[in-house]
Amino acid sequence: MTGTTGRRKTPSRGQRVRPEDIYRWGPIWARQVGRFLNHVWWDTTVHGAERVPAEGPVIIASNHVGIVDGPVVFGAVPRGSHFLVKQEFFDSRIGFLMTWAGQIPVDRASGRAALAVGKSMLEEGRVVGIFPEGTRGTGDASSVRAGVAWLAVNTGAPVVPAACLGTRLPGDRRGHVPGPRSKLHVVFGDPLTLDMPEGTSRRDRMNGAMDRIGTGLAAHVRDAVALTGVPLPDSDADPLTDGPISPDAPGRDARDGRGE
C-alpha cells in the first residue's frame, strides 16, 4: 500500500507487534497499580475471582461499558495478564506505561498481529484479556467479534467471562470517568465449555465457539446485573469515534471460520 508520495506506508504499531516485544514482567508491577486504583481510588468489589484458573492459559472475555474498564478488569484478575488494547493508548503521552505493563497493542483495522501475540502468550501458559464487543456500548454482550473465538479455538484455553459494571451508568457520557471512591464491580463467571465432537470442521468450531462465547457472556452479564443491582448504561455507541479495543479474527477468512 502506498500513499500520495508513492512511498510504502509504514506498518502501525499494532500491525508490527511481535511476541518478543511484550514485557513478560510488566503485569507483575502493573497489576499492583490496578489493585490500587480498584481499592484505593475507586471502591471496587470483585466477585468470583476464584473462578479464574490459578495456572495455565486463560482467556478473560469482558463486556465493555466505560473508558476505564481496562484498568479495572486488569486489576481485578487474580493473576498477571496481558490485555489487547487499542494502539491509540500506546501512542498517547502515557503510552510507555502500556508498553512497560506488558499489554498488547491492537490496530483497529487489522487484529492479525495482536491475536498472533495473544496466542503466543497463551501457549506460554499466561492470561490474555480481551473485550469481545470491540467498543464501548451498553455492555450487554449482544454482539461479539471473532477474535476471542479464534484465540479459544487455536489454543484450547478456557474462556472466563467477566462483567465490569458501574464504570458508566445510564445518563453518563461515553467518556465518563468514575470519581474517587465510586462503587464498581467486576464479576467473573465459570469458564465456558467449548468442547466439540472430534472431527468437527474448523468452520464449525469457529462458529460454535462464537455462539457459545457470545451466549455465555451475555447470560453472565445479565446475571451480574441481577447480582449487583448495577444497571448497564444507555446505548449511545458511535463506532466512528470509538475504535475497537478487541480485534476481529485475523483476516476475512478467520471471521467466517477459515482463518489460519
Side-chain angles (χ1 to χ4, degrees), residues 178-258:
R181 305 307 297 163
S182 292
K183 185 63 179 174
L184 311 178
H185 294 266
V186 178
V187 185
F188 294 105
D190 292 321
L192 300 173
T193 301
L194 302 177
D195 294 336
M196 297 180 192
E198 187 175 350
T200 302
S201 70
R202 183 176 182 80
R203 178 190 293 272
D204 287 343
R205 281 189 292 149
M206 279 290 295
N207 290 339
M210 281 281 291
D211 291 342
R212 181 70 185 93
I213 294 169
T215 301
L217 181 56
H220 174 67
V221 171
R222 290 194 297 271
D223 290 344
V225 169
L227 171 69
T228 63
V230 178
L232 295 172
D234 303 319
S235 177
D236 62 349
D238 179 5
L240 294 178
T241 59
D242 182 50
I245 288 187
S246 71
D248 284 323
R252 176 181 176 183
D253 289 347
R255 286 195 288 272
D256 65 15
R258 299 196 302 272

Side-chain angles (χ1 to χ4, degrees), residues 88-151:
E88 285 81 355
F89 284 123
F90 289 80
D91 295 332
S92 69
R93 286 179 296 177
I94 60 171
F96 68 95
L97 292 176
M98 302 300 294
T99 300
W100 289 357
Q103 305 308 289
I104 304 170
V106 179
D107 186 320
R108 66 180 67 195
S110 172
R112 180 184 295 273
L115 284 174
V117 171
K119 179 175 179 287
S120 293
M121 297 294 104
L122 291 168
E123 290 171 344
E124 294 178 13
R126 299 177 179 275
V127 180
V128 170
I130 189 168
F131 292 89
E133 293 169 292
T135 187
R136 280 172 276 158
T138 63
D140 61 359
S142 59
S143 176
V144 301
R145 294 171 179 254
V148 64
W150 188 90
L151 285 173

Side-chain angles (χ1 to χ4, degrees), residues 21-55:
D21 297 330
I22 306 303
Y23 295 135
R24 272 55 167 186
W25 48 263
I28 297 174
W29 71 268
R31 181 168 171 262
Q32 302 311 312
V33 175
R35 288 171 58 83
F36 173 86
L37 292 172
N38 274 342
H39 302 296
V40 177
W41 185 254
W42 296 306
D43 180 12
T44 304
T45 299
V46 179
H47 310 258
E50 70 281 359
R51 293 170 176 156
V52 178
E55 58 185 19

